[in-house]
């Protein structure tokens, strides 16, 4: 994973609806969001961080629910377990960042560390997991996975939930409840900020 431009180019080489294409596009978008958080301050920074937090929470949930079961077969159980452990750690760190003042030195330090960890995680997915899934599935399967991924993205939790992160089963069981609570919380916070 070199940069957002490279990820977008790699995504463009894959057919529309392909699960890996969608995930590569998301990786590029996540890089853009990290950049926006780093170059802003105050309320604008908080808004960009909230977008990044929601995007990462939704993205990781969707990967755990849709990609990981197939990757277990194509890339192997050890690969999937390693990525799930990274996602659990990321969820814990994201939950910590969510409670911090985005303009504090403590946030800056933890955020820089978090960004490096997320980028490394995405690189491992792109180098290990994605090629195995592409090689182990036909185009119809990849499109079906893409469709299911899009469905999960539209209803996944928008805040980190470290207790269920890294577990496909826990995501399926608890995800809908967590998502409902997150989306109500987001609506209340948006309403407060307008008044």
């Amino acid at each position: 994973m070199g940069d957002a431009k490279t990820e977008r180019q790699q995504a463009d080489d894959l057919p529309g609806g392909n699960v890996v294409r969608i995930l590569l596009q998301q990786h590029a978008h996540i890089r853009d969001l990290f950049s926006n958080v780093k170059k802003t301050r105050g309320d604008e920074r908080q808004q960009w961080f909230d977008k990044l937090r929601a995007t990462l929470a939704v993205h990781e949930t969707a990967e755990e629910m849709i990609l990981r079961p197939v990757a277990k077969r194509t890339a192997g159980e050890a690969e999937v377990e390693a990525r799930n452990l990274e996602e659990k750690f990321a969820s814990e760190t994201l939950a910590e960042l969510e409670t911090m003042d985005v303009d504090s030195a403590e946030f800056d330090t933890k955020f820089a560390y978090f960004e490096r960890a997320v980028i490394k995680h995405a690189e491992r997915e792109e180098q290990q997991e994605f090629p195995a899934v592409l090689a182990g599935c036909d185009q119809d399967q990849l499109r079906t996975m893409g469709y299911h991924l899009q469905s999960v993205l539209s209803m996944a939790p928008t805040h980190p939930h470290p207790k269920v992160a890294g577990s496909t089963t826990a995501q399926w069981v608890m995800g809908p409840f967590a998502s409902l609570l997150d989306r109500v919380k987001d609506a209340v916070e948006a309403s407060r900020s307008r008044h």
Side-chain angles (χ1 to χ4, degrees), residues 51-192:
K51 287 179 185 180
L52 173 65
R53 182 240 328 127
T55 300
L56 283 170
V58 166
H59 173 81
E60 298 303 343
T61 298
E63 280 186 335
E64 289 175 19
M65 293 175 77
I66 304 303
L67 184 71
R68 293 286 138 64
V70 175
K72 191 173 188 178
R73 176 178 51 83
T74 60
E77 193 166 337
E79 179 67 26
V80 166
E81 190 59 33
R83 297 302 72 80
N84 281 344
L85 285 173
E86 291 166 357
E87 287 175 0
K88 184 167 181 50
F89 173 76
S91 182
E92 291 166 354
T93 306
L94 190 56
E96 289 175 29
L97 285 166
E98 192 175 26
T99 66
M100 294 180 182
D101 175 354
V102 296
D103 288 323
S104 69
E106 180 186 19
F107 178 90
D108 287 340
T109 301
K110 189 169 276 294
F111 187 78
Y113 174 75
F114 178 67
E115 180 184 21
R116 285 190 301 274
V118 169
I119 297 302
K120 280 278 195 208
H121 169 76
E123 286 174 349
R124 290 182 188 113
E125 287 177 338
E126 291 174 10
Q127 294 165 1
Q128 307 295 323
E129 214 168 12
F130 293 0
V133 168
L134 288 170
C137 298
D138 64 32
Q139 289 306 314
D140 286 341
Q141 291 168 316
L142 293 167
R143 249 188 322 276
T144 298
M145 287 173 65
Y147 173 78
H148 290 144
L149 185 89
Q150 294 283 30
S151 296
V152 170
L153 291 172
S154 70
M155 61 181 184
T158 59
H159 292 264
H161 293 276
K163 288 186 166 90
V164 297
S167 168
T168 298
T169 303
Q171 292 289 9
W172 279 104
V173 172
M174 298 304 298
F177 302 108
S179 178
L180 178 63
L181 294 174
D182 286 355
R183 290 169 194 272
V184 168
K185 178 181 177 181
D186 293 343
V188 168
E189 288 173 1
S191 175
R192 283 185 189 149

Side-chain angles (χ1 to χ4, degrees), residues 7-58:
E7 288 166 341
R8 287 187 176 96
Q9 289 170 340
Q10 291 171 341
D12 288 345
D13 290 340
L14 295 169
N18 180 303
V19 67
V20 174
R21 177 186 176 120
I22 296 165
L23 292 170
L24 285 167
Q25 290 168 335
Q26 288 185 332
H27 283 183
H29 180 61
I30 288 165
R31 276 185 178 272
D32 294 340
L33 292 172
F34 270 113
S35 177
N36 290 337
V37 171
K38 290 188 298 188
K39 66 184 177 187
T40 56
R41 305 297 293 170
D43 289 344
E44 185 179 5
R45 181 180 239 198
Q46 184 66 57
Q47 290 170 357
W48 282 116
F49 175 74
D50 289 345
K51 287 179 185 180
L52 173 65
R53 182 240 328 127
T55 300
L56 283 170
V58 166

